[in-house]
Amino acid sequence: MSTGPGATSAPAPEPLDTPSALDTPARSNSMFSSLRVRNYRLFFLGQVVSNIGTWMQRIAQDWLVLSLTGSAAAVGITTALQFLPMLLFGLYGGVLVDRLRKRPTLFVTQSAMALTALALAVLTLTGRVEVWHIYVAACALGLATVVDNPARQAFVSELVGPGQLHNAVSLNSANFQSARLVGPAVAGLLITGVGTGWAFLLNGLSFAAPLAGLLLMRSRELYAVERAPRGKGQLREGLRYVAGRPELVWPIVLVGFIGTFAFNFPVYLTAFADDVFHGGAGVYSMFNTLMAVGSVSGALLAARRGTARLRLLILAALAFGTLEILASTAPQLWMFALLMVPLGLFSMTVNVTTNTSLQMATDPAVRGRVMALYMMVFLGGSPVGAPIVGWITDTYGARVGFAAGGAIAVAAAAVIGLILARVGGLRLSVGWHAGHPRVRFVPREGQRGLAPVA
C-alpha cells in the first residue's frame, strides 16, 4: 500500500492472501495488548459504559415502536431513519473527519448523542411519546453518527499506532458486543418492570463516561496523523483512491449487500420473538444476548489472530448467510436461540476483518474518507434494506424474510470471492487430499509469486 498522500502505490496485492498488504501483524501476541496504552485504556473503559447504554436504547426503541404500531415495517422505518443520514452524508462526514482533530470532534458528537437520548427519555417518561418522536430522535442520532463513526474508527490509530491497530479494532468490537450481553438483559428488565423511558434515560447518562475519558487523555501521547488540508475535490479524491484498489472496493461492496439485507436484526428478531414464537421483550432481548455471546467470541478470536485476510472475510460471509438460512427454518424456540451464537460469531468476523483490512490498506491522510465510505455502505444500506425486509417480513412471514437476507449474503460472498480470486490471478481447484475432498484457490498457469489460498 502507499505510504502517504501522493506516494506511489506498491504492486497490486493479491486480494485474498497477501501478507504484505492485508495482514496486520500485532506487536504482541497478547489478546489485550493494546490496553497497555493509557489513552486507549481510557477510551475503552468509557466505551464500555456508553455501549451498555446504547444497547439498552436499541432494544427499548425497537420494542417501543413495535408496541405503539404493531408493525415490523415500522421498526424497519425507524432503523432506516437512523441510518439514512449516513447514506446521504456519510462521505461528507469522512471529509470533515480527515480535516478535523479527532478528539474534540468526538466530544461534540458524543454530547449530541447524549442530548438526543435524554430528550427521548423525557417524552417517554411523561407519557407524551408518539411514533413520530421516535422517528425524529432516530434521525437526529443518525446525523451525529455521520461524523462520530468515522472519527472513532480513525481515532483508534492515533491512540495505539499501527503496531496495535488490529488488536485495538478487535477489542473495540469485543467491547461493543460485550455490552450487548448486559444492555439487552437490563433493557428487558426495565421494559417489563418500569418502562422503556428509563432505558433512554440511563443511556443518556452513560455518555458521561466516554466524555470523561476524552478529557483525561494525554495529548502528548497520541500518535501524530497528518490531517488533510481544506481544498476542493477531496470527496472525489477519496472515491478515486478507493476505486483504484480492488482490496478496498470489493470488501466494501460485500458488506454493502450484507448490511442492507442480512444485518437487519431489529426487523428479523422482533418478528421472530413476537409473531413466530409469541414471546415478549424478554425473548427479543435473549436473542440479542445470545448473538452477543457469539460476537464477543468472534471479536476476541480476531484480537488473538493478529491478521486480517480477505480470504477469511469471504468464508465468514458464506458461513453467516448459511446460518441465517438455517435459523429461518428452526421449528422451535430453543433451536433458533442456539443458532444465534454462531450467527453472532461469524457476523463479528465479517465486521472486524473488513474494518481492519480497510484501515491497514489505507493511507492515514484519507483514512477518514475510506472509513466513512465503508460505514456509509455498511450502515447506510439499512435505509434501503430495512423497509424492504420489513415489508417482506410483514407480507410473507419472518421465516421468508430471514431466509432471503441469508441467501443474498451467500450469493454476494460467492460472487465477490470469485472476482477477488480472478483479480489476484487465481483459479478454483477441486481435488482430493489424504482421502478427503479439497477445494482451494491456486495460481493460474503463468502466474508466479502468488501464494495459494488454501
Side-chain angles (χ1 to χ4, degrees):
M1 66 181 179
S2 23
T3 56
T8 55
S9 296
E14 192 285 287
L16 290 179
D17 201 34
T18 295
S20 61
L22 299 179
D23 288 359
T24 57
R27 190 175 296 168
S28 166
N29 288 329
S30 170
M31 187 178 289
F32 304 100
S33 58
S34 55
L35 287 175
R36 300 191 187 108
V37 181
R38 179 183 182 274
N39 282 344
Y40 178 73
R41 192 162 59 246
L42 288 169
F43 178 82
F44 184 89
L45 293 174
Q47 292 299 310
V48 167
V49 178
S50 180
N51 286 337
I52 291 174
T54 297
W55 277 111
M56 289 169 57
Q57 173 152 330
R58 282 192 177 190
I59 301 300
Q61 176 180 280
D62 295 340
W63 201 257
L64 180 59
V65 171
L66 191 66
S67 299
L68 291 173
T69 66
S71 170
V75 178
I77 291 171
T78 307
T79 302
L81 289 172
Q82 185 165 325
F83 295 116
L84 182 62
M86 179 64 73
L87 179 64
L88 297 177
F89 309 115
L91 288 176
Y92 294 98
V95 172
L96 285 175
V97 167
D98 280 336
R99 292 176 181 174
L100 300 173
R101 294 167 58 202
K102 310 301 186 293
R103 187 178 167 197
T105 300
L106 285 171
F107 195 90
V108 172
T109 57
Q110 296 278 297
S111 298
M113 291 177 173
L115 293 175
T116 300
L118 292 173
L120 194 55
V122 171
L123 288 169
T124 307
L125 290 172
T126 57
R128 298 177 180 177
V129 69
E130 298 179 22
V131 175
W132 73 268
H133 292 142
I134 305 173
Y135 289 166
V136 171
C139 193
L141 185 62
L143 287 171
T145 302
V146 165
V147 176
D148 186 80
N149 259 339
R152 275 190 296 110
Q153 301 289 340
F155 190 48
V156 174
S157 64
E158 296 186 25
L159 293 171
V160 300
Q164 296 285 359
L165 183 58
H166 178 83
N167 183 264
V169 169
S170 301
L171 288 183
N172 281 351
S173 299
N175 182 335
F176 187 70
Q177 298 301 327
S178 296
R180 194 175 178 180
L181 294 170
V182 180
V186 176
L189 292 174
L190 289 173
I191 292 170
T192 56
V194 293
T196 55
W198 290 97
F200 300 139
L201 177 62
L202 291 178
N203 178 47
L205 297 176
S206 73
F207 282 96
L211 293 174
L214 290 169
L215 291 173
L216 291 171
M217 288 177 186
R218 297 170 181 164
S219 298
R220 66 181 181 275
E221 295 179 8
L222 293 174
Y223 288 77
V225 173
E226 181 180 357
R227 283 184 283 154
R230 286 182 174 271
K232 294 182 178 180
Q234 289 180 323
L235 182 58
R236 292 192 299 273
E237 178 191 350
L239 292 174
R240 284 196 301 268
Y241 180 89
V242 173
R245 290 163 173 79
E247 71 274 18
L248 300 180
V249 170
W250 292 112
I252 291 175
V253 172
L254 175 58
V255 299
F257 278 103
I258 293 176
T260 300
F261 298 105
F263 265 50
N264 280 287
F265 294 115
V267 177
Y268 296 136
L269 298 187
T270 51
F272 267 86
D274 192 46
D275 299 333
V276 177
F277 299 117
H278 308 293
V283 172
Y284 177 49
S285 65
M286 178 188 70
F287 291 159
N288 281 275
T289 300
L290 289 171
M291 277 198 71
V293 172
S295 297
V296 171
S297 301
L300 292 178
L301 286 173
R304 183 69 177 176
R305 235 182 344 258
T307 60
R309 299 188 180 211
L310 294 186
R311 176 181 64 184
L312 177 62
L313 170 61
I314 297 300
L315 293 175
L318 287 169
F320 170 75
T322 302
L323 283 167
E324 281 203 346
I325 296 171
L326 289 175
S328 71
T329 65
Q332 296 180 328
L333 173 61
W334 67 268
M335 294 176 65
F336 184 85
L338 285 179
L339 285 170
M340 293 299 100
V341 177
L343 195 63
L345 188 151
F346 285 106
S347 70
M348 184 50 54
T349 302
V350 170
N351 192 335
V352 172
T353 305
T354 307
N355 190 316
T356 310
S357 64
L358 291 177
Q359 291 209 48
M360 293 305 296
T362 302
D363 292 331
V366 295
R367 186 171 288 150
R369 278 164 283 181
V370 172
M371 297 312 295
L373 177 61
Y374 160 61
M375 299 306 296
M376 183 191 77
V377 172
F378 185 42
L379 299 180
S382 293
V384 177
I388 295 173
V389 300
W391 175 80
I392 293 173
T393 299
D394 280 344
T395 305
Y396 300 103
R399 296 188 183 277
V400 173
F402 208 24
I408 291 172
V410 168
V415 171
I416 291 172
L418 291 173
I419 291 172
L420 286 169
R422 184 174 182 82
V423 169
L426 303 176
R427 65 177 177 84
L428 187 66
S429 172
V430 181
W432 288 83
H433 178 72
H436 299 286
R438 181 171 66 173
V439 179
R440 60 176 183 160
F441 286 102
V442 298
R444 290 197 195 98
E445 293 296 329
Q447 297 286 341
R448 295 292 183 265
L450 298 177
V453 182

